[in-house]
Amino acid sequence: EVQLVESGGGMVQPGGSLRVSCTVFGFTFNRYDMSWVRQAPGKGPEWVSAVNSNGARRYYADSVKDRFTISRDNAQNTMYLQMNSLKPEDTGLYYCARVSGLITATPLALHEYDYWGRGTQVTVSS
């Protein structure tokens, strides 16, 4: 059974840092491109970042570029999102998602994902 399990969310003050993780089960992790998507309260999903299967290519939304870093450890079946200089507008539920094909353009559309985790909450507030 395919599972994606996020962890590491929490509450942090503006300007702070947080790292969220996504550990996967039930499929060969190193064969798939992966992505982070977030959803703020009362808003639709927003693509945040993506990484190709071997970690060599990384993609970011303009809103997080130069503040967030995506990475993956294929030996540990885990993907990470290091978030620095956090802002209140970064608040939301952060989901990891498996890309069904290959990343050819960004932002990724919702139909390009085939599996999702349940999300981890990130709250940026003073």
Side-chain angles (χ1 to χ4, degrees):
E1 179 187 3
V2 172
Q3 292 185 55
L4 291 76
V5 181
E6 301 94 339
S7 61
M11 180 175 287
V12 63
Q13 292 186 342
S17 297
L18 208 59
R19 188 178 80 160
V20 293
S21 304
C22 171
T23 302
V24 309
F25 305 89
F27 66 95
T28 305
F29 184 55
N30 63 15
R31 292 184 180 176
Y32 288 88
D33 297 354
M34 298 290 295
S35 184
W36 288 98
V37 178
R38 68 186 180 189
Q39 186 163 16
K43 296 188 176 181
E46 176 192 13
W47 173 72
V48 175
S49 183
V51 60
N52 79 320
S53 58
N54 67 7
R57 291 189 298 276
R58 309 177 188 193
Y59 310 86
Y60 299 96
D62 288 344
S63 59
V64 306
K65 199 171 293 183
D66 299 326
R67 299 189 298 122
F68 289 12
T69 302
I70 192 170
S71 62
R72 63 190 295 164
D73 182 342
N74 285 347
Q76 298 296 323
N77 288 347
T78 300
M79 175 177 67
Y80 304 97
L81 187 67
Q82 175 67 44
M83 303 181 287
N84 299 329
S85 302
L86 281 161
K87 305 175 181 180
E89 51 264 44
D90 294 317
T91 294
L93 197 57
Y94 281 69
Y95 298 93
C96 68
R98 190 177 83 170
V99 183
S100 57
L102 296 177
I103 299 169
T104 57
T106 59
L108 294 169
L110 293 180
H111 71 265
E112 296 187 72
Y113 306 114
D114 56 3
Y115 287 95
W116 295 75
R118 293 189 175 185
T120 185
Q121 178 67 37
V122 172
T123 302
V124 185
S125 175
S126 54

